Amino acid sequence: MAMSGIEVDPDIATLFNDMKLRSIHKFATFKIENKKKVVQDVLGDPVSTETRDQDKAEFQKLKDMVTASNEPRYILYDFSFQMKKDNRSVKKLAFIFWCPDDSKIGDKMIYASTKDSIKKSFSGLSLEFQANDKGDFDYDTMADDVERKA
């Protein structure tokens, strides 16, 4: 349980492992429900991407959906594309904490204090990003970081 007193649904760890091992969803979003529990919110379709352009198009769909409201979300995104420098394939799950600056202060505090608890459900996760406005929620910046760490 988080310092905030909010628990994380145990199914979230199962979903993470399924995404990591079987690529069953391109992305997953999670929300805090009734200020009591972190639960699954939206699951992306199981889309296979091979190029950065294809991956960026899928990321844009996620970004448009998540940034349409000013509510924070925890996100898992499955980056999958050919690297620029040597055409190797890279496939990495990343954790993105979307906490817009114009969210309610109480929501921002609860999501921030619960973030470490949900991350504990993602064993072996090596990539993390935080976005506080649409400019921070940038595919190219994140994908370049994925490449550097691949």
Side-chain angles (χ1 to χ4, degrees):
M1 188 175 295
M3 287 179 14
S4 60
I6 295 171
E7 67 177 284
V8 177
D9 186 330
D11 291 342
I12 289 175
T14 303
L15 175 62
F16 168 75
N17 287 323
D18 287 345
M19 287 179 71
K20 185 168 68 170
L21 299 173
R22 297 197 316 253
S23 300
I24 61 169
H25 301 286
K26 186 65 177 166
F27 65 84
T29 67
F30 308 94
K31 65 181 180 180
I32 296 176
E33 191 172 68
N34 301 320
K35 297 184 179 175
K36 292 183 179 177
K37 189 175 197 177
V38 180
V39 296
Q40 170 190 310
D41 184 27
V42 177
L43 296 175
D45 293 330
V47 177
S48 177
T49 55
E50 294 179 13
T51 67
R52 266 181 85 127
D53 287 341
Q54 291 171 337
D55 202 51
K56 186 174 185 173
E58 292 303 315
F59 186 90
Q60 189 62 46
K61 291 176 192 175
L62 165 68
K63 178 180 177 178
D64 291 345
M65 179 193 68
V66 171
T67 60
S69 83
N70 64 347
E71 296 176 17
R73 287 293 184 268
Y74 306 114
I75 302 162
L76 285 174
Y77 184 78
D78 187 2
F79 284 91
S80 180
F81 56 86
Q82 297 277 12
M83 294 196 327
K84 290 179 193 174
K85 60 183 177 193
D86 58 10
N87 281 339
R88 284 187 302 132
S89 292
V90 63
K91 183 169 176 33
K92 291 273 187 185
L93 267 179
F95 175 77
I96 304 168
F97 177 36
W98 167 244
C99 192
D101 290 330
D102 56 353
S103 294
K104 295 177 189 170
I105 189 72
D107 288 347
K108 290 196 291 189
M109 290 172 59
I110 289 171
Y111 272 82
S113 63
T114 308
K115 181 177 84 165
D116 287 339
S117 293
I118 189 169
K119 282 175 38 185
K120 288 178 184 171
S121 299
F122 306 145
S123 62
L125 185 73
S126 60
L127 289 165
E128 178 181 347
F129 302 100
Q130 180 164 337
N132 299 100
D133 61 40
K134 289 182 181 182
D136 295 340
F137 211 128
D138 181 63
Y139 176 83
D140 290 321
T141 301
M142 292 182 190
D144 287 347
D145 201 35
V146 169
E147 273 200 42
R148 274 192 298 280
K149 294 178 179 175

